[in-house]
Amino acid sequence: MADYFNWIKAAHVISMVCWFAAIFYLPRLFVYHAMSDDRISHERFAIMERKLYRGIMTPSMIATWIFGIWMLVLGWDVYKTQGWLHAKLTLVVLLSAYHGACGFYRKKLMDDAHYKTDKFWRWFNEVPVLVLVAVVILVIVKPF
């Protein structure tokens, strides 16, 4: 593979860490937003959620996908037969759908801070943790 492959991998991991940091924090903001009772708090959370989603979470997701696809293209002859990678990519697609759901829910919360309960958001916040654990195991252990 090309000499710069490790630089692309580093950029992929950095963008993935930023994406996960944001994807862990946004639903936590949803918890606090759902618990807020006054207009000022509601507006503050709406601003924080928008800035996190648009300014960090979405660009990080895009960068993760770009660097990941770049690595796939460079190493396709090796990767195409790796079952762990197919499983990882499935999880990344599901995480991207979760990301989209966060965007949908963010807009719903702007209209109604009590759209869902804080308990719902606490459970919703656990989903990406499970994805992260599975992805790390797949990439490091390569069980199949």
Side-chain angles (χ1 to χ4, degrees):
M1 286 186 225
D3 292 335
Y4 53 87
F5 185 83
N6 284 334
W7 286 102
I8 298 166
K9 189 189 303 185
H12 178 68
V13 170
I14 291 165
S15 58
M16 180 271 307
V17 168
C18 293
W19 186 22
F20 267 102
I23 218 162
F24 288 154
Y25 189 47
L26 185 62
R28 177 53 49 182
L29 287 176
F30 293 168
V31 170
Y32 302 137
H33 196 157
M35 294 171 63
S36 68
D37 291 327
D38 59 286
R39 184 183 60 76
I40 293 171
S41 295
H42 174 70
E43 290 173 0
R44 182 180 302 120
F45 285 117
I47 290 168
M48 292 170 67
E49 291 158 2
R50 177 181 51 82
K51 287 183 176 185
L52 180 62
Y53 186 80
R54 289 184 180 171
I56 298 172
M57 196 164 139
T58 298
S60 298
M61 178 191 69
I62 292 168
T64 300
W65 272 100
I66 288 170
F67 293 121
I69 290 170
W70 194 353
M71 286 190 303
L72 280 174
V73 169
L74 290 175
W76 183 247
D77 288 339
V78 174
Y79 288 137
K80 67 183 175 186
T81 61
Q82 303 296 308
W84 65 268
L85 180 65
H86 297 277
K88 176 198 170 197
L89 291 174
T90 300
L91 291 171
V92 172
V93 167
L94 291 173
L95 188 66
S96 298
Y98 180 91
H99 179 111
C102 284
F104 172 80
Y105 286 141
R106 183 185 68 79
K107 290 178 182 175
K108 293 292 251 181
L109 280 164
M110 287 172 51
D111 296 331
D112 178 9
H114 304 290
Y115 168 68
K116 302 259 187 199
T117 68
D118 60 296
K119 288 181 183 178
F120 171 84
W121 298 120
R122 290 176 201 279
W123 283 104
F124 183 75
N125 196 30
E126 299 305 320
V127 172
V129 174
L130 301 173
V131 173
L132 178 63
V133 168
V135 166
V136 169
I137 290 170
L138 286 166
V139 172
I140 302 299
V141 178
K142 296 178 178 61
F144 49 89

